[in-house]
Amino acid sequence: MQVHDGLRAELAQIHDLIEQVATGEIDAGAARSHINTMTMRQNRWTLGVYCESYCRIVTTHHTLEDQSLFPWLRARDPRLSPVVDRLEQEHHVIHDVLEGVDRALVAYVGSPDGLAELRAAVDLLTDALLSHLSYEERELVEPLARLGFG
């Protein structure tokens, strides 16, 4: 579940980046020397790259689970099928939410008026992903340990 802890930590960093952009804070280092408008563009670009990378990490994690872990669990303990079915459904929901974050990022980079939409999209991602991770851990930690995955 270290991967989940990493996802949670990076989700917190996304929230922090959004607040830095919202308040107009300047990034450390070379970005401090940019004029305000260039700094804001740099912050938006940095936020976009970070969010895109995070979305890719979540998608990769879910793909690995769908292709490797879940079939393995079904084969070892068919009683886990309802849990695995729910987790797979949640992966699709989270994928749609990630696409919403991407759309909100594009809107925000195009216009700073899109900050509220971006915040709402990331808040929805936070709710969906944290709920999903909690359910997965609650339902699979014991079976994974018992069945010897890892």
Side-chain angles (χ1 to χ4, degrees):
M1 299 302 141
Q2 290 175 332
V3 171
H4 289 183
D5 291 341
L7 292 174
R8 287 183 186 98
E10 289 188 359
L11 190 56
Q13 289 177 352
I14 290 173
H15 280 279
D16 185 53
L17 278 171
I18 289 172
E19 290 312 308
Q20 288 179 35
V21 171
T23 61
E25 291 178 32
I26 299 171
D27 288 334
R32 290 183 188 265
S33 65
H34 290 272
I35 59 172
N36 190 42
T37 56
M38 290 186 71
T39 301
M40 288 305 295
R41 271 189 248 136
Q42 177 68 26
N43 285 343
R44 285 190 197 111
W45 181 82
T46 300
L47 176 63
V49 168
Y50 188 84
C51 287
E52 180 185 349
S53 175
Y54 183 78
C55 292
R56 192 171 33 254
I57 290 167
V58 171
T59 299
T60 300
H61 172 70
H62 284 172
T63 299
L64 289 171
E65 286 180 336
D66 290 342
Q67 293 178 353
S68 298
L69 176 63
F70 294 165
W72 185 87
L73 285 170
R74 277 195 176 94
R76 300 298 181 291
D77 188 346
R79 296 172 298 169
L80 293 172
S81 287
V83 171
V84 171
D85 291 344
R86 175 178 165 175
L87 291 169
E88 287 176 332
Q89 283 180 318
E90 289 180 1
H91 286 180
H92 294 289
V93 170
I94 290 168
H95 175 77
D96 292 344
V97 172
L98 289 169
E99 287 183 350
V101 170
D102 184 58
R103 284 190 301 274
L105 274 168
V106 169
Y108 177 71
V109 169
S111 167
D113 296 338
L115 187 59
E117 181 184 346
L118 178 57
R119 279 188 174 138
V122 172
D123 287 345
L124 179 60
L125 173 62
T126 300
D127 292 345
L129 189 59
L130 293 181
S131 174
H132 170 75
L133 296 175
S134 292
Y135 175 75
E136 184 174 318
E137 290 166 357
R138 186 175 58 248
E139 296 298 323
L140 295 184
V141 166
E142 184 279 328
L144 290 170
R146 177 174 40 86
L147 297 170
F149 187 83

